[in-house]
Structure formats: C-alpha cells, structure tokens
Amino acid sequence: MTQQFAPVELEKAYRLINHGTTALVSAHHKGTDNVMSASWVCGLDFRPAKLTVVLDKIARTRELIEQSGYFVIQVPTVAQLQMTYDLGNRTLRTDPDKLQHCGAELFRMQGHGDLPFVAGCTAWLACKLIPEPHNQQAHDLFIGEIVGAWADTRVFKDGHWHFEDADPSQRSLHYIAGGQFYATGEPLNANTKLD
C-alpha cells in the first residue's frame, strides 16, 4: 500500500473524477439563445447514440432545453478558455448581452432549425431531449439522443482524436474547480512500452 494518500472531503470528492472534457451547452426557444459551460457531460449509449448532462435548476439554458426539447453539446478549445469560463460564470437572467460579453459567436446548421452552435469548437453534437421528468427534477440529469454530430478534421478524423497533430490551441479543456483548467495532454498508447 502506498503512503502517499490522504482523505478527501466528501463535498470535494467529485473533483477526483470530474476532469473529463468541459463542454458548452447551447439552446434556443422563441427567439432566445443561450450557452453555458458544463463539466458533467457523459456518453450513455451507442445505438441510438445518447449522452447525459447535468444542468442546475437555476440555469436559463435548462429552461430553453425544457421548452424546446433540443440542445447542442460542444467541445471548446484552449483558445476558448476565457470564453468558456465566462459562459459558466455569467447568467442571461442578469446580463441580457451575456453571449456578446463572453465573446460567443453562434451559427446555425442546416437541417437543425434554430439550434445555436458555438463557432471555434472542435466538436458539435445536436441532441433531442429524451424527457425523464423524475431524473431532471430530482437529479438535474438530462438525457439527449444525438441527432447530428460534426468535428473539426484538424483535430478529429477517421473516428479518432488527433490532438498530437493539431495546434496546442485546439486541445480540449478539462475544468477542475476555482477557474483551474487543464488541456488534453500527451497521447499514450497501451501497446507502446513506456520508459
């Protein structure tokens, strides 16, 4: 047994596993667009492709998703660090120009209605909400069926991420807490011997 371990406060225990890709969640309803940052996004199924995202009850984006039944999950980049942080720390409720103040540039994807997509990301997943009222109310857990997916081929091609071949500014962000992020690091292959 190693001697380099210490207990972690239970209210901070989520930080031990919460360093997956930070995502941007966007939605639209009746003329209103919004985007928020989310760290708790997870793949759920392959066929049909599904994912989960945790959205707090105070989030305006959550309301737009509940009203429209659709949302987009995006993978922001190192180059979008400040925008990503700001989108998670400003609210449309008190700042009607939130998206402009955060520097979020939106575009629409043909065939996906009014869904707002954030420019400059490396991946975009359009999702249809699978309503699960109990999970949404009790656990803030939303399930989406992925109905469209796109990626920046400089970073993702042939079904795989290739961060090692891309500019470091295109690496994905991983939020820890208190404004601290990490970027995707060095690639490792289980079939390669380490020194």
Side-chain angles (χ1 to χ4, degrees):
M1 180 186 304
T2 180
Q3 296 302 312
Q4 291 79 27
F5 69 94
V8 175
E9 298 171 45
L10 293 183
E11 63 270 10
K12 293 192 167 70
Y14 72 92
R15 294 180 182 177
L16 297 174
I17 58 169
N18 188 40
H19 50 275
T21 300
T22 298
L24 298 177
V25 184
S26 59
H28 173 91
H29 185 67
K30 290 189 177 178
T32 301
D33 290 326
N34 200 23
V35 183
M36 64 176 278
S37 301
S39 292
W40 296 1
V41 178
C42 181
L44 178 64
D45 206 347
F46 297 109
R47 291 191 186 111
K50 296 181 202 128
L51 56 76
T52 62
V53 59
V54 175
L55 303 167
D56 194 279
K57 290 172 183 63
I58 65 167
R60 182 73 172 103
T61 303
R62 174 182 171 145
E63 288 178 17
L64 298 175
I65 293 169
E66 290 173 325
Q67 293 164 346
S68 72
Y70 289 88
F71 60 98
V72 181
I73 297 291
Q74 285 107 157
V75 178
T77 67
V78 167
Q80 296 172 306
L81 172 71
Q82 192 62 52
M83 178 194 71
T84 301
Y85 181 75
D86 291 345
L87 286 168
N89 285 285
R90 287 182 180 254
T91 174
L92 196 61
R93 294 185 197 287
T94 59
D95 183 0
D97 297 319
K98 168 189 170 178
L99 299 180
Q100 180 182 353
H101 292 150
C102 294
E105 179 186 337
L106 303 180
F107 67 96
R108 298 310 201 250
M109 190 76 72
Q110 186 175 356
H112 290 278
D114 289 329
L115 280 175
F117 291 76
V118 179
C121 294
T122 57
W124 302 263
L125 299 101
C127 300
K128 179 180 179 180
L129 178 64
I130 298 174
E132 290 286 347
H134 172 73
N135 286 340
Q136 290 168 207
Q137 287 305 309
H139 307 294
D140 297 331
L141 182 69
F142 286 69
I143 299 173
E145 179 180 342
I146 302 169
V147 295
W150 304 264
D152 184 327
T153 57
R154 295 173 296 176
V155 185
F156 187 93
K157 59 187 170 209
D158 302 323
H160 298 281
W161 288 106
H162 297 278
F163 292 111
E164 66 275 17
D165 299 327
D167 187 283
S169 67
Q170 293 179 310
R171 291 183 176 201
S172 60
L173 296 169
H174 305 265
Y175 185 67
I176 303 301
Q180 180 70 44
F181 289 82
Y182 288 92
T184 298
E186 175 183 350
L188 302 173
N189 186 312
N191 297 317
T192 304
K193 198 175 201 179
L194 299 176
D195 294 332

